[in-house]
Amino acid sequence: MSTTTVTRPPAHAARPTPPAAVARGVVKTYGTGPTAVHALAGADLEVGAGRLTAVMGPSGSGKSTLMHALAGLDTVDAGSVRLGDVELTTLSERQRTVLRRERVGFVFQSFNLVPSLTALENITLPLRLARRQAEPAWLDELVGTLDLRDRLGHRPHELSGGQQQRVAVARALVTRPDLVLADEPTGNLDSHHGQALLAFLRRAAHELGQTVVMVTHDPAAATYADRVVLLVDGRVVGDLAEPTVPAVVAAMAGLERRAPRAEG
Amino acid sequence: MWHLTLRNVRAHAGRLRLTVLAVALAVAVVAGGTALTGASQRLLDAQFRTAAAGVDVTVRAAAAFDSAMGVEVDREPLPAALVDEVAAAPGVARVLPVVEGSGLLEVDGRAVVPTGASVLSSFAPAPFGAFVLREGRAPTRSGEAVVDVATARAAGVAVGDRVDLLTDGRSTVRVVGLVGFADGDGLPGATVVLVPLADAQRLLGTGEGFTELRVRTTTGTPVADAVAALRTRLGADYAVASGQDTAEASAAAAGEQLGSLRLVLAALSGAVLLVGAVLVANTFTIVIGQRRREIALLRAAGATSGQVTRAVLAEAVVVGAVGSVLGTALGLVTAEGLRVLARAAGSDLPEGRLGTTPAAVLLAVLVGVGVTALAAVGAARSAARVAPVEAIRASVDVVGGPGPRRGRATARAVPLVAGVVGLAAVAAGAPAALLAPAAIATVVGVVLNAAVVTPALTRALGAPLARAGVPGQLAREAAARAPRRTTSTAIALALGLALVGFTSVVATSLRDGLSGAYRETITADLVVESARGEMLGGLSPAVADRLRSVPQVEVASRVRYGHVLDGGTTTALAAVDPATLPAVAELDMVEGSVEALAGGGVLVAESLSTERDLHVGDVVRLTLSHAGVQELEVVGVVDSLDAQALSTAWIVSLDTYARHFAEDLDASVLVRTAGGVSADEARASVRAALADHPTAAVRDQAAAAQARGAAVDEVLGLVGVLLGLVVVLALLGVTSTLALSVAERVREIGLLRAVGTTSGQVGRMFRAEALLVAALATVLGLGLGVALGALTVSAVLGREAPLAVSLPVGRLAAVVLAAGVVGVVAGLAPARRAARTDVLTALAAD
C-alpha cells in the first residue's frame, strides 16, 4: 500500500521496540449510497512505543476517526486495530470502555474536565472509575512536572486555559496508559501555553516513556513530534521523521495539491 | 420575532413537552375545580328553582336569619288559621299548606340512610310541588305514601310494598306511587317520602299547623304586588317571599357547604400552580442557558435586548397556551374525579352533568398563560443580558455554575430574614394575622437561599450513595457543586412536600386536640349520637327519653346545638342540662358555675371571656335564628379546652334553648351507667332500647372522642389527594429538569465515557442524582412545612385553648417514601438517556 517509511528507526532510540499500537487496513464509512463518506479507506499505522507521533492532514482526511479507532472510542467496518496485544475490533462496547480507562489517556481540544470535580479529582477520575489507587510517586511527579501543585483543590472554572489543559494531560497520564491520544491539544491555548504543553508531551514520551499520538494541523506543533504521519482521504500517505516547520509545510502543501485527485 | 418564536418552540418541542404537560396538569386542576363548584352551584340552583317553579309566593314563620353553616334554620309552625287569612288576601288565587320535615325510611326492617336528608313531607300536587308521579297514584288516604324513584330502585321498593317511617315513633305506610323530581329520579343524596297532609302533621308533630304556605297569585297580579300585600297583612311575624327568592335562598344555603370545598380546591389550585410555575421557570432558565450562543448570534445580527426578552416571553405564552388548552380539555375529566373524591371525603354534591362555561374556560386559559409567562420572566431577562460578543467567544465551560453570586446575596437574604423575624414575633405573641405573610416570606426566602445550604446538605445526604460506588460519588459531587442547578431541580418537589407537611401537622394536631379535649372533659360511659353527623345533631328527643327508662342507665344528659349570629358571623351554641351534666362531664369553671345556668343565662369559654372582657354578671347580645336579638347574662366562664369538648364557646341550659329555638333535635346524649353494670351489658341494653332509632350510634367514650376528629380526617383525605397531585407534578419537574440537565451536560457525559465510565455507570450516576434531589427536597420541604405547621399550631391555634403539636409520624413517613419513589422514578428516563449518549456525538457536541 502507500505506507512507506514506518520501519525507519527513530533517531534517538537504538534498539527497535514492538509498536504500542497498530492499525491495518482500517475502513470506516459513515452513511450509505451516494451520500456515504469514507472516513477511513484502508488506513495503516504503527505507533512506536515511547514516541510522540503527530497525525496531520487536511479537514476530512480521517485524522480524528483514526484516533478514535485507536482509542476504542469508535468501531471500524473492516481491518484490524491492536493496542499492545489486544485486538480492539472484536471487543464489546463495555470491554472497550474498560480498556479505555485502563490503557488509554485522552486530551481534547476543549472541555477536558468534569466541571463539578476539582483538579485533583479530575486527574484521578480514571483511577476512581477503575477502583484503583493512584501511585503516589507517579502522581506527585506528574503534578510537579505540570506545575499544578497549588491548583489541585480548584475547580475547572477557577483555572486558566493552560492549567485546565495541563490537568487534562495529568489525567491522561495518571494510569500510565499504553497510549495517550491528544486531539488538537493546543487548539484553545495561546502560543506560550501551547508550546509549554507540547514540550511536556514530548518529555512525557522521551523521559517518562509514554506513547503519545497527537492530531494537529499546526506545523509548528508538529515539529515537537518525533514523527509526522500524513493522512489524506482516509489513508496514510506520508511520513516525516524529525520534522521541521518547512518540511511539514511543504509536505502539507503537497497534500493539498494531491487531495482533489483522490488518488488510489 | 414571532416567526422565530414559533420556529424555536417547534425546534425545542421535545424539551418543552414536559413543561407543556405540567402547565396542562396545573390548569386541569384549576379548570376542574371551577367547573365542579360552578356546575354544582348551577345544579343546586336549577334544582331549587324547579322545585319552586309553580309557586309564586311562600309564607313561613319569620327568622332572624335563613340559614347558618349550610343548614336552613328550623322555623315555628304556622297556625292553621293563617291559611284562610292568606287566601283572603288580594291577588291570591290558591293557597296550599305544606308540612315538611325529616323521617327515616325503613325497608324490610333496614334503615335507608342517605348521605343527605331523609325528607318526609306532605304531598303537594302540581303546580305546588315539583315531584311528579311516575307510577301509581298520589297518597290520599291516611297510611299511604309515595317514594322517589331513585330511592325505590336503590332500596328495592315497589308500589304496593309496606315501608316504615321513623320520626318520633315508628309508623308503617303503604307505598301507592313513585315520584320523580322534575326530570330526575330523585333528590341527590336524599330519600323522599310524601304522605297526605294530615299524616305529615301527625308524624312531624306540627299539630294543626304547617311549615309553609305556598301561594298562586291570580292571573295578572304581579308577584311583587302579592308579596307586598301579604307582608302588610301578616305583619313581621311571618316571612313572605316570592317563590323564586325562596328557591334562591335555599340554593344559597345548600351552596354554602360548597364554600369549604371551594376553599380546598382553591388551595389545591394555588399549590399546583405554584409547583407548575417553579417547573416552568426552571425549564426556561435551562433552555435559555443552552441557547446563549444562539441568542448572542441574534443580538450580533441586530436584535435588541427588548426583542430577545419578548421572544422568550412569546415562547412562554405559546407553551402556556398549548398547555392551558390541553388542561382545560382535561378539566372536565378532572372535575368528575374531584367530585368522586369530594364525595368520598363527605361533601354532598349534586348529581348531574358537569358542564363548563366560556368564562370558566377563558379564566383557566388566562391563568395558565399568565402563570407560564410570569414564570418565564426571569429567564427572559437573563436572555436579554446575553452580550452579542458571546457569539464569537469560545464557549465557557462553566456548567451549573458556582454558588449564588455574592453581590445579590444580601438582597436575597431580605425575605428570609424578614420572614423568620416575623415568625419569631408571632411565636412571641404578635398578632396571628402576621403569620401568613411571615410564612410566605420565609418560604420565598428559603427558595431563594436554599442554594447556600445545598452543597453541605447534599454531601451529607449523599454519604450513603457515595459509599455505594463511583457513580454515587460523582452524582454527589455533581449535585453538591452545582447548587443552583440542584436546588432548582428540587424546589418544585420541596414546595409540594412543604404544603403536605404543613397541612398534615396542623390537621393532625387539631384532630388530636379535639379528641383529647373531649376525652378529658366528657366522663360519660357511653355517648349516643347520630351516625349521620348532621350539623345540629339528628337524634330525636325520644332517644334520651327512652334511655332514661333503661334500668342500666343512671344518667342520660342531652346536648343540643343551635345557631346564633354573633357580630356578623354565625356560630354554634350548645344547650345542656345543668342538673345532669356534672354527672357526665367535668367542666372546669374559671368563674361561676354550671348549676347557675338553671336560672337562665349563658356560660362563655375562657378564650372568649378574655377576648371580650366578659365576666359573670355581664350581659351579651346574641341574635338567635327566630327569637331575634336576645340579651343573656353571663353566669360562668368555662375553661377553653372544656368548652372545646362541647365544640362551642357559648353554653346555655336546655330550658333557655327551648325558649329561643324551634329546633327539637339532640346532638348527643351522654350516658352514665348505673353502678355495678358492666360496660358490655350497659352497651347491649342501650342498643336494645334504641332499636327503633337506627341512626343513633352508641359509642363508648374513647370511640366518641375519636369521632371528634372525623371531620379533620376528611381534610387529611384531601391532603392525600394533594400529595398525589404534587407527587405527579414534582415527578414531571424533576424528570424534565434532569433531562434538560442531561442535554446540558452531554459533553461532560462524553468526557466521562471517553475516560472509561461505562454506560451503566453513567446511568447510575444520574439515577443517584435524582434520588439525591428527592432527598434534598424532602429535607428542605418537609422540614419547612413541619416547622411552619408546628409554629402555627403552638403559637396561633394554641392561643384560644392550649393545643399540643402532634407529628403524624406514619403520614410523614409515607410522604418521605413517596418522595423517594419520585426520586427513583424521575431518574429513570434521564438516566437512560444519559447512558445511551453516544460518546463521539457527545464529544463533538458544542
Side-chain angles (χ1 to χ4, degrees):
Chain A
M1 304 286 268
S2 57
T3 313
T4 47
T5 52
V6 280
T7 51
R8 186 196 297 174
H12 72 278
R15 56 187 168 77
T17 48
V22 181
R24 293 241 179 270
V26 177
V27 174
K28 179 76 185 177
T29 308
Y30 294 106
T32 52
T35 57
V37 176
H38 304 282
L40 290 176
D44 297 294
L45 176 67
E46 280 188 19
V47 178
R51 297 177 66 185
L52 173 58
T53 306
V55 177
M56 298 191 75
S59 293
S61 59
K63 306 184 293 280
S64 292
T65 310
L66 180 59
M67 206 184 72
H68 293 157
L70 283 174
L73 271 174
D74 205 357
T75 56
V76 299
D77 299 327
S80 144
V81 180
R82 298 179 70 86
L83 182 60
D85 50 359
V86 180
E87 175 61 52
L88 300 191
T89 52
T90 59
L91 296 184
S92 71
E93 204 279 333
R94 197 191 148 77
Q95 287 169 319
R96 281 189 279 120
T97 302
V98 172
L99 174 117
R100 275 204 300 277
R101 83 179 166 213
E102 284 170 356
R103 300 179 60 174
V104 183
F106 285 97
V107 181
F108 300 105
Q109 179 176 356
S110 66
F111 202 88
N112 256 318
L113 307 176
V114 178
S116 60
L117 300 180
T118 62
L120 181 63
E121 287 167 338
N122 263 292
I123 293 171
T124 55
L125 181 61
L127 295 170
R128 279 170 82 191
L129 290 169
R131 293 168 196 275
R132 275 163 49 192
Q133 289 297 311
E135 290 173 41
W138 176 237
L139 185 61
D140 191 66
E141 183 171 357
L142 283 178
V143 167
T145 317
L146 287 163
D147 195 18
L148 288 170
R149 210 173 293 285
D150 56 347
R151 312 300 294 169
L152 291 178
H154 291 73
R155 286 173 56 200
H157 68 272
E158 297 164 324
L159 301 174
S160 72
Q163 287 166 340
Q164 287 190 34
Q165 212 56 338
R166 295 208 300 276
V167 171
V169 170
R171 182 198 57 215
L173 291 171
V174 76
T175 57
R176 287 182 186 273
D178 296 347
L179 184 62
V180 173
L181 296 166
D183 192 351
E184 304 273 7
T186 58
N188 277 349
L189 298 181
D190 60 40
S191 65
H192 170 71
H193 282 110
Q195 284 164 21
L197 191 83
L198 290 165
F200 179 78
L201 286 179
R202 190 178 167 91
R203 262 179 76 192
H206 295 174
E207 294 171 25
L208 307 175
Q210 295 289 329
T211 305
V212 183
V213 175
M214 167 176 77
V215 169
T216 183
H217 61 258
D218 174 8
T223 59
Y224 283 82
D226 298 309
R227 169 190 171 214
V228 174
V229 176
L230 299 167
L231 227 67
V232 172
D233 294 336
R235 291 173 192 205
V236 176
V237 297
D239 204 329
L240 292 168
E242 299 303 324
T244 58
V245 172
V248 173
V249 171
M252 288 293 283
L255 295 183
E256 299 292 344
R257 281 196 304 277
R258 278 169 77 166
R261 279 194 281 142
E263 53 101 31
Chain B
M1 288 304 269
W2 186 243
H3 171 71
L4 189 72
T5 300
L6 289 178
R7 278 285 181 79
N8 269 333
V9 172
R10 221 171 304 154
H12 302 289
R15 287 179 196 176
L16 296 175
R17 201 173 47 210
L18 288 173
T19 316
V20 169
L21 192 58
V23 173
L25 273 179
V27 170
V29 171
V30 175
T34 51
L36 178 61
T37 49
S40 298
Q41 187 66 61
R42 274 201 308 283
L43 287 167
L44 284 174
D45 287 349
Q47 198 173 305
F48 284 99
R49 211 172 297 126
T50 312
V55 181
D56 295 324
V57 179
T58 62
V59 178
R60 292 181 293 180
F65 47 95
D66 285 342
S67 63
M69 304 174 182
V71 185
E72 282 192 79
V73 301
D74 270 13
R75 294 162 193 257
E76 292 280 2
L78 301 167
L82 197 70
V83 179
D84 292 338
E85 178 134 19
V86 169
V92 171
R94 291 172 66 193
V95 181
L96 184 87
V98 176
V99 172
E100 241 179 8
S102 66
L104 195 66
L105 176 68
E106 209 177 71
V107 179
D108 299 331
R110 244 200 313 271
V112 180
V113 183
T115 54
S118 296
V119 175
L120 171 61
S121 172
S122 59
F123 182 79
F128 292 104
F131 292 99
V132 285
L133 275 172
R134 294 278 191 81
E135 208 184 317
R137 59 176 178 83
T140 48
R141 281 191 295 271
S142 181
E144 290 180 347
V146 291
V147 177
D148 69 287
V149 175
T151 302
R153 190 168 47 224
V157 176
V159 172
D161 286 358
R162 287 187 177 279
V163 295
D164 287 342
L165 286 175
L166 298 169
T167 48
D168 284 351
R170 178 190 301 266
S171 345
T172 305
V173 293
R174 196 164 61 86
V175 177
V176 295
L178 301 180
V179 292
F181 180 78
D183 296 339
D185 285 345
L187 286 172
T191 60
V192 176
V193 181
L194 306 176
V195 296
L197 184 63
D199 279 11
Q201 284 174 323
R202 180 171 48 79
L203 291 169
L204 295 169
T206 59
E208 295 290 297
F210 312 107
T211 54
E212 184 178 316
L213 298 184
R214 295 182 185 167
V215 176
R216 292 279 285 180
T217 54
T218 50
T219 338
T221 308
V223 171
D225 291 359
V227 168
L230 279 168
R231 274 190 188 147
T232 333
R233 195 178 176 94
L234 302 180
D237 286 347
Y238 300 101
V240 181
S242 76
Q244 285 309 311
D245 286 350
T246 308
E248 265 165 39
S250 303
E256 252 182 67
Q257 61 170 320
L258 291 176
S260 59
L261 179 70
R262 209 172 268 141
L263 201 70
V264 169
L265 288 177
L268 198 66
S269 303
V272 169
L273 282 176
L274 181 68
V275 174
V278 170
L279 204 154
V280 169
N282 267 342
T283 312
F284 271 87
T285 305
I286 297 179
V287 168
I288 293 307
Q290 287 169 350
R291 294 215 308 249
R292 286 184 81 86
R293 283 290 276 276
E294 179 192 320
I295 293 164
L297 212 63
L298 279 175
R299 296 277 283 118
T304 65
S305 60
Q307 279 173 318
V308 170
T309 311
R310 283 195 294 279
V312 175
L313 285 181
E315 232 177 291
V317 168
V318 172
V319 167
V322 174
S324 299
V325 169
L326 284 176
T328 313
L330 272 174
L332 283 184
V333 185
T334 317
E336 281 295 350
L338 286 172
R339 175 150 75 174
V340 171
L341 288 170
R343 283 228 178 94
S347 239
D348 197 15
L349 297 180
E351 290 289 343
R353 242 167 49 85
L354 291 175
T356 187
T357 59
V361 170
L362 191 66
L363 179 77
V365 170
L366 280 182
V367 165
V369 171
V371 166
T372 314
L374 215 60
V377 164
R381 286 182 48 191
S382 85
R385 282 196 298 268
V386 172
V389 70
E390 281 186 44
I392 11 175
R393 212 155 51 196
S395 66
V396 192
D397 284 346
V398 185
V399 183
R405 264 170 289 168
R406 217 155 272 145
R408 299 224 195 121
T410 332
R412 216 175 273 129
V414 169
L416 185 62
V417 172
V420 170
V421 167
L423 290 179
V426 172
L434 194 61
L435 179 73
I440 291 170
T442 308
V443 170
V444 171
V446 168
V447 168
L448 290 177
N449 294 287
V452 175
V453 292
T454 297
L457 211 51
T458 312
R459 283 211 179 84
L461 292 168
L465 282 176
R467 268 196 293 283
V470 186
Q473 290 163 24
L474 288 176
R476 181 179 170 211
E477 289 314 310
R481 286 185 180 148
R484 266 190 291 168
R485 183 178 67 206
T486 308
T487 315
S488 62
T489 311
I491 214 72
L493 181 58
L495 282 178
L497 295 179
L499 207 65
V500 171
F502 175 81
T503 340
S504 298
V505 168
V506 171
T508 311
S509 301
L510 277 178
R511 184 187 61 188
D512 293 356
L514 284 176
S515 47
Y518 193 85
R519 203 172 295 124
E520 279 171 28
T521 306
I522 306 299
T523 55
D525 300 308
L526 293 174
V527 177
V528 180
E529 45 199 349
S530 169
R532 287 198 279 179
E534 288 95 336
M535 194 69 77
L536 292 179
L539 287 184
S540 153
V543 169
D545 297 341
R546 179 81 190 79
L547 286 175
R548 293 226 168 91
S549 65
V550 176
Q552 287 87 347
V553 170
E554 187 181 320
V555 173
S557 186
R558 311 168 194 270
V559 177
R560 49 176 60 184
Y561 292 98
H563 289 309
V564 295
L565 193 61
D566 167 37
T569 54
T570 49
T571 172
L573 165 149
V576 299
D577 176 5
T580 54
L581 188 69
V584 288
E586 246 172 52
L587 290 190
D588 289 338
M589 301 302 295
V590 180
E591 284 177 43
S593 68
V594 177
E595 287 73 15
L597 276 180
V602 62
L603 300 180
V604 298
E606 193 186 357
S607 55
L608 199 67
S609 142
T610 319
E611 191 187 317
R612 306 218 187 145
D613 196 24
L614 285 176
H615 298 284
V616 170
D618 291 349
V619 170
V620 289
R621 288 164 64 85
L622 294 174
T623 308
L624 310 182
S625 61
H626 73 268
V629 177
Q630 296 291 327
E631 295 199 334
L632 292 169
E633 189 191 338
V634 175
V635 296
V637 176
V638 189
D639 176 77
S640 293
L641 267 184
D642 294 3
Q644 209 175 70
L646 290 171
S647 327
T648 178
W650 306 95
I651 302 169
V652 298
S653 72
L654 288 171
D655 292 341
T656 309
Y657 184 92
R659 275 202 300 280
H660 297 309
F661 288 87
E663 284 88 350
D664 189 19
L665 286 173
D666 289 333
S668 49
V669 179
L670 305 175
V671 172
R672 196 170 86 198
T673 52
V677 177
S678 78
D680 287 343
E681 187 198 341
R683 195 176 327 174
S685 55
V686 165
R687 285 225 168 101
L690 297 180
D692 279 354
H693 299 278
T695 59
V698 181
R699 300 182 170 122
D700 60 21
Q701 189 250 16
Q706 200 88 57
R708 297 304 106 179
V712 182
D713 279 332
E714 285 163 12
V715 175
L716 282 172
L718 279 169
V719 173
V721 177
L722 175 68
L723 173 66
L725 262 171
V726 164
V727 161
V728 170
L729 262 181
L731 193 73
L732 285 177
V734 177
T735 303
S736 81
T737 316
L738 213 56
L740 288 167
S741 157
V742 168
E744 188 181 65
R745 287 151 74 182
V746 64
R747 293 217 62 189
E748 181 185 335
I749 296 166
L751 183 69
L752 283 169
R753 297 280 285 116
V755 300
T757 317
T758 63
S759 65
Q761 283 175 317
V762 169
R764 277 202 294 285
M765 181 178 137
F766 276 92
R767 283 200 298 276
E769 203 173 318
L771 201 58
L772 209 50
V773 162
L776 180 73
T778 309
V779 170
L780 280 180
L782 214 50
L784 188 64
V786 168
L788 284 178
L791 183 78
T792 306
V793 168
S794 61
V796 178
L797 298 175
R799 275 183 196 176
E800 294 216 344
L803 185 60
V805 176
S806 304
L807 285 186
V809 177
R811 185 170 283 270
L812 292 180
V815 173
V816 171
L817 199 70
V821 170
V822 168
V824 170
V825 176
L828 292 180
R832 194 164 53 236
R833 186 154 150 209
R836 279 189 191 159
T837 306
D838 179 65
V839 192
L840 293 172
T841 329
L843 287 173
D846 198 351

